[in-house]
Amino acid sequence: MDENRVQAYLELIQKLLNCPNGKEGQILQANEELVDAGLVQVMKQVAEQMAAEGNGNAANWLINLAAEIARMLGMTASATPQEYLEFLREVLQAIVDSNSNPQVVYPLLQANLDKLDDGLTQIVEVWAAQTVAEVEHQEEQFIVAILLNNFGNFMGQFPLGNKASNQETAIVTYQNALQISTREAFPENWATTQNNLAGAYRKRIQGKKANNLELAIACYHNALQIHTREAFPQNHTRTLYNLGCVYRDTQQWQFVYNTFFTAIQITESLREEILSGNESKQKLAEEWNILYRCMVETCLKLNQPIEALEYAERSKNRNFVEAILLQDSYTIFPPKVAAKLALLRDEIASAQYQIQQGKAENYRELAQRLQDLRQQGNQLQDKYLPVGSSFRFDSFEQTLDRETTVIEWYLVGETFLAFIITKAAPLSVWQSTPENYDKLIHWASTYVNTYDKEPETWRNQLAEALQNLAEILHIEEILKLLPASCNRLILIPHRFLHLFPLHALPIPNASTSPTYLLDLFPRGVSYAPSCQLLQQVQTRQRTHFDNLFAIQTPTEDLYEEDVGAVRAIKQQFTHSEILKKGKATKSALLPVDDTAKIVTQHEKLATAHCLLFFCHGYFNSDLPLNSGLELADGNLTVAEIIAHFRLENCRLVTLSACETGIPDFKISDEYTSLPYGFLLAGSTNVVSSLWKVDATATALLMTKFYEELEQQDNITLALRNAQFWLRDSTVESFQAWLNKSKLSPIWQDILKRDFEQWEEEIGKTGKRFNSPSYWSAFCVVGKGE
């Protein structure tokens, strides 16, 4: 090809890449003399180079434009039938040799983008017909069908090339696989291929969308004939979810509801059966979370906000139940119960195998038996699990007084919701736009990354960041939905929203001093993991508050931090037990072994009204139930707290440590954290922190918090007043407080020196801890009273 011509093609291609969307036709018309087969060839070469350099989106756009120009010019296929056939054989061999490894197959497809067109689609049919004619045994035909299925999956999911042609190739491939692997000969594989074909029809670009969706619905119904609820419950549930999504595409909301309803019923009946292995567990957990989110969205489309909230709650509780069953079932259930559950699992597996293999003499009887076995297992588990799977809005609403409002956030696919729950008005729902959802995701990512990598920048920018969050959440708009009588607020965040101090969101006002959400509610702002757990802790009556159990500086790096805060707090209790330094051990808090009921310290822990942990906390993002507190001889985990602690007399657990309130939010809808663990263990309230806190600010806040508790019988108000005091006090105010305090002489001397230094830096009227990074780290989780 002439070099000048090639250069002209390249310049034209560059113009096309840089032009505004929709102007391509004008540019091609202005350069009509260059629009020929040579241009198409060079465009494909440039696209291949761009894809190799990692610019996949531009490469995909360019290859699609090349295909359009080729069709406009009436060009024939870009390769001979023999070349297509050789390429297909090469890809199929790569699939076999690599065991369907995308890292092997995708580069091969990427290097042959010019062959991913209608010519390849036609050659697939030729190859399938020839190959089946050559094999004699049914087993060999099955292998061919499996190979075609895998090739169809690769073509349908490949992100480069002409997506319309890729989907057509996938569809034809699946259709040929179905002709080989028939329902009668290979029913399971036939059902799997029907599922794959349905997915390809749903993503199909050619043809009318309505027709393609109807074809997808038909394929999913075909798959459900084999992947029945009794024989293949997991596959059945996944197919129902996909079917519901297609109904959603067609706006048939009642069909969507009915399909998701059945899928959730099965999911909740299976519990830990449905998961196995960490990778599979995480993948399936996210699938089931999406199922619940879709159901919440569907209920709202059908104008059923109460049912939407109930499904949001069921999602949270189901996730936590599964997490316990998968990670900690050996400590949750007594040995005899665990053995009984194991026998039930064996019976379920045996019955399901008989159904799958078609060996059931009486199918209906065995299917009913399978359902009964699962129900027996779930009912047995429910007796020992700390949280159930059911939630009813009407019974929860009755636990609220008319001056309290609950705001529960819930993140669905492209928006986020705020449910406003109050006894004074019907349930209302505020819904964001997709644009606001995207802003929230970006804001949260920036917040977390800055906190992890640039903590000083995060601290300095926290006030501005919270201002942006208030605008993204439209907190002003949501507050207008609250009744005028509301003077107490309970916040139930969702997923990563648990990470943020929502009580410190700034609210616009006419004053020069900033107003925060916490300022607006005289009875305070507290948090809860879910409505169900809030309802559970509200039934617990804890009238006594004179017995303290404390863990004080168990690790050596904290020995110097022991300035007397715990000693000052101890003075406010009639009875106290404090384990300090090397005596503050995990072994002192847990039973000696699985059969021992209690040991001495364990008994004292169980009778305490208040637990105080002055130590380090940590968060395990991979296994949230392994998050915990660092003690002298090891880590006390959330799982161990839930399994072994029985805090039947405890009104308050205070976690005066770093990051003790951080929850799991990557996959699960559930709030899995230290506060949740202590609530499930029996406490009614937990005070915990959301980030690494300043040592002096924390010591002052905790001291003032317990002073307030001595004066009034309300935990949320005590923390609110202590936070206001820390936020609003001047250096002069701190000095006046110190002169009246009953602190130890050592701590008084330390604070006196600190106050003198602050006076030199910011003056007597300066406010040392006015920034939210100091005063808003701690929050009350639980009953709040």
Side-chain angles (χ1 to χ4, degrees):
M1 190 180 297
D2 180 72
E3 291 184 8
N4 293 332
R5 186 83 175 169
V6 171
Q7 186 60 38
Y9 288 146
L10 292 173
E11 291 175 359
L12 176 56
I13 291 169
Q14 197 60 43
K15 289 180 182 178
L16 292 168
L17 289 168
N18 295 331
C19 75
N21 188 31
K23 298 294 184 181
E24 297 88 350
Q26 296 178 17
I27 293 174
L28 290 172
Q29 189 173 3
N31 295 271
E32 190 174 356
E33 74 280 2
L34 294 174
V35 181
D36 56 17
L39 175 62
V40 174
Q41 181 180 347
V42 175
M43 289 175 76
K44 291 181 178 179
Q45 292 171 354
V46 172
E48 291 175 12
Q49 183 178 352
M50 295 174 74
E53 293 171 351
N55 195 353
N57 290 335
N60 193 44
W61 180 87
L62 191 59
I63 201 71
N64 287 335
L65 181 57
E68 289 181 21
I69 295 173
R71 282 194 291 270
M72 180 182 68
L73 296 172
M75 293 171 59
T76 57
S78 59
T80 66
Q82 185 59 34
E83 288 173 332
Y84 279 120
L85 185 58
E86 290 175 0
F87 168 62
L88 176 62
R89 286 171 175 167
E90 185 180 5
V91 175
L92 294 176
Q93 191 61 50
I95 292 173
V96 172
D97 294 342
S98 69
N99 194 24
S100 298
N101 186 348
Q103 295 180 351
V104 174
V105 179
Y106 278 166
L108 185 56
L109 296 178
Q110 184 174 317
N112 293 271
L113 291 175
D114 61 315
K115 298 184 182 67
L116 304 186
D117 55 21
D118 296 341
L120 179 62
T121 305
Q122 295 169 11
I123 213 69
V124 166
E125 292 190 277
V126 174
W127 180 88
Q130 290 178 346
T131 304
V132 171
E134 293 172 0
V135 297
E136 298 180 359
H137 301 291
Q138 196 177 53
E139 292 77 7
E140 294 174 323
Q141 292 181 355
F142 177 72
I143 293 173
V144 172
I146 291 291
L147 186 55
L148 284 172
N149 220 334
N150 291 338
F151 176 67
N153 293 341
F154 278 114
M155 290 304 302
Q157 298 167 12
F158 187 56
L160 302 178
N162 188 322
K163 290 186 178 180
S165 291
N166 291 350
Q167 288 303 321
E168 291 306 305
T169 301
I171 289 170
V172 168
T173 303
Y174 293 138
Q175 289 172 338
N176 278 272
L178 288 172
Q179 292 179 14
I180 300 169
S181 178
T182 63
R183 174 176 176 171
E184 293 73 21
F186 307 105
E188 289 184 48
N189 186 62
W190 179 84
T192 299
T193 307
Q194 290 283 358
N195 262 315
N196 293 338
L197 180 57
Y201 277 132
R202 189 183 176 203
K203 293 187 290 184
R204 192 181 196 182
I205 297 173
Q206 296 183 14
K208 292 183 178 181
K209 183 177 181 180
N211 293 340
N212 290 333
L213 293 177
E214 287 301 319
L215 289 170
I217 290 171
C219 289
Y220 282 133
H221 279 292
N222 287 339
L224 289 171
Q225 294 176 24
I226 301 299
H227 287 162
T228 63
R229 175 174 182 166
E230 295 76 21
F232 301 96
Q234 295 181 37
N235 293 334
H236 186 81
T237 305
R238 186 180 289 107
T239 301
L240 284 175
Y241 165 71
N242 290 329
L243 178 60
C245 290
V246 179
Y247 282 135
R248 184 178 59 183
D249 293 341
T250 62
Q251 303 290 299
Q252 300 182 72
W253 291 107
Q254 193 59 52
F255 281 132
V256 178
Y257 176 89
N258 295 341
T259 307
F260 287 159
F261 177 86
T262 305
I264 288 174
Q265 270 193 325
I266 300 170
T267 300
E268 292 180 346
S269 72
L270 295 176
R271 287 194 177 168
E272 84 275 23
E273 256 185 88
I274 209 163
L275 305 174
S276 61
N278 285 336
E279 183 178 351
S280 173
K281 175 184 71 175
Q282 293 184 357
K283 181 180 178 182
L284 288 172
E286 180 58 22
E287 285 187 15
W288 306 140
N289 288 338
I290 293 173
L291 170 60
Y292 280 89
R293 292 170 203 164
C294 290
M295 186 55 149
V296 170
E297 184 181 30
T298 302
C299 290
L300 292 178
K301 288 287 186 181
L302 294 172
N303 196 28
Q304 298 293 335
I306 291 177
E307 199 167 358
L309 175 62
E310 289 177 340
Y311 273 107
E313 283 285 315
R314 286 168 66 176
S315 169
K316 296 177 180 182
N317 297 325
R318 180 200 60 81
N319 271 287
F320 193 76
V321 165
E322 285 181 354
I324 291 176
L325 292 175
L326 285 164
Q327 187 172 333
D328 206 44
S329 59
Y330 292 106
T331 55
I332 289 291
F333 303 117
K336 290 184 179 179
V337 175
K340 175 64 175 175
L341 290 170
L343 288 174
L344 286 171
R345 282 193 293 270
D346 289 343
E347 285 190 67
I348 289 170
S350 175
Q352 189 167 306
Y353 177 80
Q354 292 181 56
I355 291 175
Q356 289 175 350
Q357 302 302 314
K359 297 181 178 180
E361 294 182 4
N362 189 324
Y363 181 91
R364 291 182 180 275
E365 183 177 323
L366 189 57
Q368 183 61 49
R369 173 64 177 161
L370 190 59
Q371 184 176 337
D372 292 343
L373 289 170
R374 289 193 173 108
Q375 187 174 355
Q376 287 180 39
N378 291 344
Q379 289 174 347
L380 185 57
Q381 290 170 351
D382 285 341
K383 293 180 180 179
Y384 298 91
L385 289 169
V387 62
S389 57
S390 61
F391 169 77
R392 289 191 59 82
F393 172 79
D394 52 357
S395 61
F396 170 73
E397 187 183 35
Q398 295 305 312
T399 66
L400 303 175
D401 61 58
R402 298 186 68 82
E403 297 178 336
T404 297
T405 297
V406 176
I407 300 177
E408 176 166 0
W409 279 275
Y410 194 77
L411 280 69
V412 289
E414 296 179 347
T415 65
F416 58 90
L417 312 169
F419 293 93
I420 293 88
I421 309 166
T422 173
K423 207 170 186 178
L427 175 68
S428 59
V429 185
W430 180 92
Q431 185 166 4
S432 78
T433 62
E435 291 76 18
N436 265 328
Y437 179 86
D438 292 339
K439 287 180 181 178
L440 178 61
I441 298 297
H442 176 73
W443 184 95
S445 176
T446 302
Y447 178 98
V448 173
N449 288 334
T450 305
Y451 176 78
D452 287 340
K453 298 175 182 177
E454 303 175 61
E456 192 60 31
T457 301
W458 170 87
R459 191 174 299 278
N460 293 334
Q461 296 179 351
L462 179 59
E464 181 182 353
L466 291 176
Q467 176 66 52
N468 293 335
L469 178 60
E471 294 172 1
I472 292 170
L473 293 177
H474 287 254
I475 193 66
E476 276 190 276
E477 196 174 327
I478 292 173
L479 289 176
K480 291 178 182 177
L481 299 175
L482 273 59
S485 60
C486 176
N487 60 21
R488 181 192 175 199
L489 188 62
I490 301 173
L491 305 177
I492 303 179
H494 185 217
R495 298 177 67 194
F496 55 77
L497 289 177
H498 283 285
L499 293 172
F500 314 132
L502 302 177
H503 59 284
L505 291 176
I507 308 299
N509 67 92
S511 171
T512 56
S513 301
T515 298
Y516 300 93
L517 189 64
L518 188 62
D519 294 286
L520 303 181
F521 299 92
R523 289 173 59 204
V525 177
S526 60
Y527 292 78
S530 67
C531 287
Q532 188 188 60
L533 190 55
L534 177 61
Q535 182 177 1
Q536 196 176 105
V537 298
Q538 284 175 332
T539 62
R540 300 171 187 168
Q541 301 301 318
R542 304 284 193 271
T543 56
H544 299 293
F545 199 66
D546 56 10
N547 189 342
L548 172 69
F549 189 102
I551 293 292
Q552 183 176 355
T553 59
T555 53
E556 291 184 6
D557 63 313
L558 288 175
Y559 288 177
E560 295 183 1
E561 301 289 342
D562 183 8
V563 294
V566 176
R567 185 183 302 176
I569 293 169
K570 174 186 174 182
Q571 296 175 4
Q572 299 169 35
F573 291 86
T574 307
H575 307 284
S576 63
E577 181 73 24
I578 300 177
L579 302 184
K580 299 175 63 175
K581 299 182 179 180
K583 294 182 180 180
T585 62
K586 169 181 172 178
S587 57
L589 304 182
L590 299 179
V592 173
D593 54 47
D594 291 338
T595 59
K597 291 184 178 180
I598 54 173
V599 293
T600 304
Q601 298 297 346
H602 191 65
E603 182 178 16
K604 292 179 179 178
L605 185 74
T607 58
H609 306 144
C610 177
L611 303 185
L612 172 62
F613 290 83
F614 190 83
C615 61
H616 286 308
Y618 65 94
F619 179 67
N620 186 324
S621 59
D622 295 324
L623 293 171
L625 285 173
N626 282 349
S627 304
L629 299 166
E630 295 180 16
L631 303 184
D633 61 343
N635 297 330
L636 177 67
T637 68
V638 174
E640 290 169 331
I641 292 167
I642 295 171
H644 298 296
F645 282 22
R646 297 294 177 264
L647 307 179
E648 297 173 356
N649 297 287
C650 185
R651 184 180 169 198
L652 172 64
V653 176
T654 303
L655 303 175
S656 182
C658 297
E659 302 178 333
T660 49
I662 293 180
D664 169 37
F665 66 93
K666 288 185 177 179
I667 291 183
S668 173
D669 270 4
E670 187 50 270
Y671 172 92
T672 307
S673 68
L674 275 164
Y676 199 2
F678 280 108
L679 291 175
L680 291 176
S683 180
T684 57
N685 295 283
V686 180
V687 170
S688 61
S689 59
L690 295 170
W691 55 76
K692 296 177 182 177
V693 287
D694 178 87
T696 303
T698 300
L700 288 169
L701 180 68
M702 287 295 111
T703 303
K704 185 63 175 177
F705 169 53
Y706 278 90
E707 284 182 5
E708 290 288 332
L709 273 178
E710 193 175 22
Q711 298 173 19
Q712 60 180 314
D713 194 33
N714 188 292
I715 291 169
T716 301
L717 277 181
L719 183 62
R720 178 181 186 264
N721 292 344
Q723 287 176 321
F724 284 175
W725 173 80
L726 186 70
R727 180 190 71 185
D728 300 332
S729 290
T730 62
V731 174
E732 189 175 28
S733 300
F734 281 130
Q735 291 170 333
W737 168 80
L738 183 61
N739 292 334
K740 297 178 181 179
S741 70
K742 300 178 182 179
L743 303 179
S744 66
I746 296 176
W747 195 19
Q748 284 194 23
D749 289 341
I750 293 173
L751 289 177
K752 186 176 181 181
R753 289 195 297 271
D754 285 342
F755 295 165
E756 289 173 352
Q757 182 180 345
W758 299 348
E759 184 176 345
E760 292 178 7
E761 294 173 355
I762 60 176
K764 282 193 172 185
T765 58
K767 297 180 180 180
R768 178 70 176 182
F769 300 118
N770 193 240
S771 167
S773 63
Y774 292 113
W775 62 265
S776 68
F778 285 89
C779 56
V780 178
V781 183
K783 187 175 182 179
E785 299 174 347

